[in-house]
Amino acid sequence: MSSIFSKIISKEIPADILHEDDLCLAFRDINPQAPTHFLVIPKKEIVSMADLVDEDQAAVGRCLLIASRVAFEQGLENGYRLIANTGEDGGQEVPHLHFHVLGGRNLTWPPG
Ligand code: 5GP
């Protein structure tokens, strides 16, 4: 299922890109919920965590590595939160797997 994130990958719509490689893309969230809020997505059109198959291991692993690396580059040395909203109950709005990285403030727990 194509989504707005496919258009960001293809550069049809602009985004503030923080990292790009063959497997994944990291860019700032358009509606930040913390002083630093970026998304890391696989370039492959995977709908959600619930749709992963064995062949996605490298792409998802790469996304997590890049999340860690970009968090460091963005100065989140005091910590951050990594979230993958999944499906309806998970509050997922964009049907393309994405990892949120939020930091720069104290994040409460549990989330809403
Ligand atoms: P979800 O609720 O699916 O986990 O999160 C989707 C996220 O994508 C939201 O935080 C939303 O602000 C972000 N988002 C939606 N459309 C765009 C867009 O066109 N550009 C960027 N940079 N972020 C977007």
Side-chain angles (χ1 to χ4, degrees):
M1 184 195 297
S2 265
S3 75
I4 189 95
F5 290 172
S6 297
K7 293 198 165 80
I8 290 178
I9 291 167
S10 66
K11 312 283 168 58
E12 285 171 71
I13 66 166
D16 188 352
I17 292 172
L18 301 172
H19 172 91
E20 178 168 19
D21 62 39
D22 287 350
L23 292 175
C24 71
L25 189 69
F27 54 96
R28 291 191 195 281
D29 196 293
I30 204 167
N31 182 24
Q33 301 300 312
T36 299
H37 184 179
F38 64 88
L39 305 172
V40 187
I41 68 173
K43 285 190 169 175
K44 181 183 172 190
E45 285 186 1
I46 302 167
V47 172
S48 80
M49 289 294 288
D51 298 279
L52 291 176
V53 294
D54 278 355
E55 70 178 38
D56 298 330
Q57 181 168 323
V60 171
R62 184 72 185 163
C63 285
L64 296 182
L65 181 70
I66 294 306
S68 169
R69 192 173 291 172
V70 175
F72 177 78
E73 290 167 359
Q74 293 297 311
L76 300 181
E77 67 279 342
N78 211 38
Y80 53 88
R81 188 166 293 162
L82 179 76
I83 299 168
N85 295 327
T86 303
E88 193 178 341
D89 279 1
Q92 182 177 5
E93 289 180 355
V94 178
H96 184 126
L97 174 63
H98 51 283
F99 297 98
H100 294 258
V101 178
L102 299 119
R105 67 172 170 84
N106 196 259
L107 298 155
T108 57
W109 191 264

